[in-house]
Amino acid sequence: TPFVPGEGPLSGRHVLVTAGPTWEPIDPVRYIANRSSGKQGFAIAAAAARAGARVTLVAGPVYLPTPPGVDRIDVESALDMAEAVKQSLPADIGVMVAAVADWRPVSVAGQKLKKRGSAPPALLLTENPDILATVASRPDRPPLLIGFAAETNDVIKYATDKRKRKGADWIIANDVSGDVMGGDANAVHIVRGDDVISLPEMPKEEVAHLLVERMIDAFAS
Ligand code: CTP
Ligand code: CA
């Protein structure tokens, strides 16, 4: 079907998506990163735009083209992502797919750290703000707020706990024991309260399409 911006079942809705990793700077040349490719988040942004939504995509550092009809804000660190998300609210649907770094260096060295010929420097870390939990507690919280959870064992239990702890409506849980991170396929469980829908492994575009169909249903009912 041809793509017509703003036309479709999510017409008039604003969908805010975070995607990709964050980079936490150590000094001017080094950072802490993770293996998120951004593919799943970008696919969701693309699918939401195809469904007619206005889409804001807050993207960590990834090498992916901006999907048609999507407004993209590029960020590097978790603190910058948190600020860009805040600036992008309000939204009807929030989908926090980003693999936000849990920790950042306490201080960023102004100059490149040098080998001193002795012990390596200690890297002191501090916790980043939880963007999903922060959005969940705001007065302008999106009426439908969705988080992701990449887990390696006891996937559904961890996801169920996370949903409650963070105040999300749904948690999309994926088992990242295999090569999901960076790969093109994903097998997810949609955890909404006690009801869990498990989808078989499929391309990330297909996962995105099915999730957007669920979002459309949620707004129709
Ligand atoms: N998230 C976020 N901000 C953070 C950390 C996570 O917004 N600082 C969001 C992610 O985008 C995702 C959800 O919270 O939607 C779950 O992320 P996850 O890393 O699985 O949760 P954590 O609370 O960081 O727990 P863990 O110790 O398992 O990493
Ligand atoms: Ca985490």
Side-chain angles (χ1 to χ4, degrees), residues 26-30 108-116 121:
I26 297 169
D27 70 13
V29 300
R30 302 182 178 95
V108 183
Q111 282 150 7
K112 183 185 163 189
L113 300 175
K114 302 293 286 178
K115 284 177 292 184
R116 293 186 204 81

Side-chain angles (χ1 to χ4, degrees), residues 100-102 162:
V100 183
D102 292 322
K162 242 167 221 177

